[in-house]
Amino acid sequence: MVTTPQPTQPTKVIYPDCDGNPMSDSTRQFRWIVVIKENLEILFDDDPNVFVAGDLLWYPQEGNNKVRQAPDVMVAIGRPKGDRGSYKQWEEENIPPQVVFEVLSPGNRLKEMAKKQEFYNRYGVEEYYIFDPDRLDFNGLVRRQRGSLETIDQPDSWTSPRLGIRFELQDDQFTIYRPDGQRFLTPTELAKLAEQQRQRAESAEARLRELEARLQELEGNRNPQD
């Protein structure tokens, strides 16, 4: 009796949600990652098709879980908001993140950063920004018409074509500005601003109630009952 060999089932590829590396190596690095990520979330809060993430693994190729990168912050324009364990590009209409940020720490190595740049160049990133908060050094690369990421000549006063945000490095201070001119704020500054706005709203409401009560009083004096 001849037995027919059964077709082998393809091995299911697992795409881990974690690469085992820490999100940051220092408090300064972590603070800047949070500032950039959260302010971009706020900036695009009203656009349901802008996805912003921090330290999320990006897999550009289906079937290959070795080719991956986890940008400190990435922005995918044209993809819906929502929770993800990783960014599997083939499940995202094959749209790569157009903008990525890397915030350096003392532990970053030139070889590691070169590999990241090669990855971002190969897999379609349009804007790549690198900030070193310890050395106060900011650089950027943008994809030119020739098809490759090329260094921005004057990054210390540069506006992102995709995001509309402006970077400014002067007087030993690095600042990022929203398109409306407001600077990116830390979570603490955002919380204080929200509290100030709440207090102003409560004061305005209290003044309005006082005014309404005064108007009612005047109206009563003007029209006394018999």
Side-chain angles (χ1 to χ4, degrees), residues 15-124:
Y15 303 92
D17 292 342
C18 178
D19 59 4
N21 295 321
M23 181 177 180
S24 65
D25 297 328
S26 70
T27 55
R28 183 180 286 118
Q29 182 193 23
F30 179 77
R31 183 166 60 250
W32 271 105
I33 292 172
V34 171
V35 166
I36 294 171
K37 188 262 184 186
E38 291 303 315
N39 279 270
L40 287 174
E41 290 268 26
I42 294 169
L43 179 61
F44 292 105
D45 182 60
D46 293 333
D47 192 332
N49 289 311
V50 177
F51 173 67
V52 180
D55 196 40
L56 186 71
L57 278 172
W58 164 24
Y59 294 95
Q61 296 180 340
E62 185 174 10
N64 190 342
N65 60 9
K66 303 299 183 184
V67 176
R68 63 192 186 188
Q69 198 58 254
D72 287 333
V73 180
M74 70 179 191
V75 183
I77 300 169
R79 299 308 305 145
K81 300 184 189 309
D83 293 329
R84 294 161 171 79
S86 60
Y87 191 88
K88 303 180 183 72
Q89 189 171 315
W90 58 94
E91 295 179 356
E92 307 285 353
E93 296 186 5
N94 207 35
I95 295 176
Q98 294 94 344
V99 185
V100 299
F101 295 81
E102 292 289 351
V103 181
L104 305 186
S105 72
N108 288 117
R109 298 289 181 265
L110 289 176
K111 184 177 180 180
E112 173 191 357
M113 299 313 297
K115 286 183 177 180
K116 287 186 176 183
Q117 181 174 330
E118 180 183 355
F119 180 97
Y120 297 145
N121 186 52
R122 176 176 296 179
Y123 293 109

Side-chain angles (χ1 to χ4, degrees), residues 13 26 81 109 118 120 144 150 155-156 161 178 192 206:
V13 178
S26 70
K81 300 184 189 309
R109 298 289 181 265
E118 180 183 355
Y120 297 145
R144 304 293 188 184
E150 298 180 17
D156 53 349
R178 295 161 49 104
K192 288 181 179 179

Side-chain angles (χ1 to χ4, degrees), residues 213-225:
R214 180 61 178 158
L215 289 173
Q216 290 177 0
E217 181 182 349
L218 292 173
E219 185 69 22
N221 293 334
R222 190 178 299 116
N223 300 298
Q225 295 181 354

